Amino acid sequence: MQTPTAAEPGRPVTGLVLTGGGARAAYQVGVLQALFELLDPGRGEGFVNPFGVVCGSSAGAINAAALACRAADPHRAAMRMRELWESLHTGAVYRDDAAGLVSTGARWLLMLTLGWLLPPLRRNRPRSLLDNQPLEALLAQSLDFDRLECNLASGCLSALAVSASGYTSGEHLTFYQARHTIAPWRRSLRQAVAARIGVQHLMASSAIPFVFPARPLQVGGQVEWCGDGSMRQLAPISPAIHLGADRVLVIGTGYRDDTHPERRLRDPGYPSLAQIGGHALSNIFLDSVAMDIERLERANQVLEAAPQVGGPAGLRHVKALSLSPSQSLDDLALAHMHSLPRAVRLLFRVLGVSAETGQRAGGSLLSYLLFERSYTHALIELGYADTMRRTEAVHAFFKEPPA
């Protein structure tokens, strides 16, 4: 099968959209590894990145940047991403020592409960539950953004986009770096910003609300404090289409029936902070993607029924394929809770996470923050297996449509 590449004129431009999900994003690495093997089973040296446009939000933005920086060698990119995710430990993403957790997590919880009573807590309040400074150092060491420039210049990549949410303006922001000049676009509550993407954009895009601190970015010559790119992401597929994609492959991190283990308990009791936080994060990371795919499919149906609508309305048919986990990642995370450092396990238990039989709860929150090898390895293997089971759908998606 001839694989379309970003560099060849006349080929449809394929966009890749990597959604958010914290530690869940390890699943995307397994999917990418399987995709590249299906498209190039011989692992030939001439195999070029099939995704001309790569977009990501939250942890998906980190994966998107990692792929874009090595777009000239997709197999090597997937292997390097796998090595990175499987060598992860909690301390490489956020401080997992007792002193670090006390300076952020314990103080944050104390401020929530007694901040109104103790003025010094309000004056010296922590910015987040966890300190993810180690992640910034890891990204700076692992990603070569000069190589990204070379990949754009050579044509094996057309554009990279990462999303963030502006706390200052309330807008959803898409920062993009493209091979050719693309005019920024603006829609209701969202805008695009041309930028030279770097570590700070990835840190902002992956700043899970309340969990990790916001980051300052330059927007229109002003400082905008930004948080996780999955917040207010009303149209996650839109950036890929604006950047020229004719078809879009979305790799999600949410199981289609992502109900929580505590729901199966006879008397679950009042929800804990972990349950409420996990539910909030699931809404941020999962719901908008499913809705945007539904909107895209409806638009395609309208264009098929009335092709004349496309021209005046500026619409075009965009083929889409979505790949997502075949099982609950909440349950999978609880099965690996024991791999966390003792101090972190204690913090999660205070929040209400429990992996004990008959008392299982908080798996959703844990699934986003469990950065340990046993869990990320299981996610990668699941992504690989899920994609291999959908071999026919993958080949049908990449088959070039007639002119």
Side-chain angles (χ1 to χ4, degrees), residues 157 224 261 266 287 353 373:
L157 182 72
E224 174 89 31
R266 180 174 299 176
D287 291 354
V353 179
R373 183 189 183 280

Side-chain angles (χ1 to χ4, degrees), residues 27 167 190 224 236 300 396 399:
Y27 175 86
Y167 287 123
R190 50 195 170 102
E224 174 89 31
N300 287 338
K399 184 178 180 182

Side-chain angles (χ1 to χ4, degrees), residues 119-315:
L121 285 179
R122 297 198 301 270
R123 289 195 296 269
N124 191 28
R125 62 181 184 268
R127 294 185 169 185
S128 59
L129 176 66
L130 300 171
D131 177 6
N132 64 343
Q133 196 65 35
L135 176 61
E136 184 171 2
L138 177 65
L139 295 179
Q141 178 183 359
S142 304
L143 300 178
D144 185 349
F145 289 97
D146 290 334
R147 187 176 291 177
L148 168 62
E149 296 267 10
C150 293
N151 292 335
L152 288 168
S154 67
C156 60
L157 182 72
S158 297
L160 168 67
V162 301
S163 298
S165 183
Y167 287 123
T168 311
S169 66
E171 289 187 313
H172 184 265
L173 304 168
T174 297
F175 297 91
Y176 68 93
Q177 187 171 348
R179 182 186 183 195
H180 302 296
T181 301
I182 297 176
W185 61 92
R186 180 184 285 273
R187 298 292 185 270
S188 177
L189 295 178
R190 50 195 170 102
Q191 70 163 308
V193 181
R196 191 175 189 276
I197 293 173
V199 170
Q200 283 302 313
H201 294 90
L202 304 184
M203 293 298 294
S205 182
S206 59
I208 300 174
F210 300 111
V211 178
F212 297 138
R215 296 285 177 146
L217 294 175
Q218 286 290 324
V219 178
Q222 296 183 327
V223 173
E224 174 89 31
W225 284 93
C226 296
D228 199 287
S230 295
M231 293 188 291
R232 286 207 166 188
Q233 194 170 31
L234 305 177
I237 301 176
S238 175
I241 297 174
H242 278 289
L243 292 170
D246 302 301
R247 56 190 178 191
V248 180
L249 190 148
V250 181
I251 306 179
T253 60
Y255 178 48
R256 62 182 178 276
D257 184 24
D258 226 343
T259 51
H260 310 314
E262 53 267 24
R263 184 175 178 179
R264 299 190 286 269
L265 300 178
R266 180 174 299 176
D267 182 17
Y270 190 82
S272 65
L273 280 175
Q275 290 171 248
I276 295 171
H279 184 70
L281 292 183
S282 293
N283 287 338
I284 290 172
F285 290 125
L286 308 180
D287 291 354
S288 61
V289 174
M291 289 188 294
D292 206 31
I293 290 175
E294 289 179 5
R295 285 195 295 264
L296 180 61
E297 290 174 347
R298 285 198 297 269
N300 287 338
Q301 291 169 2
V302 169
L303 288 173
E304 288 171 3
Q308 68 277 10
V309 173
L315 301 177

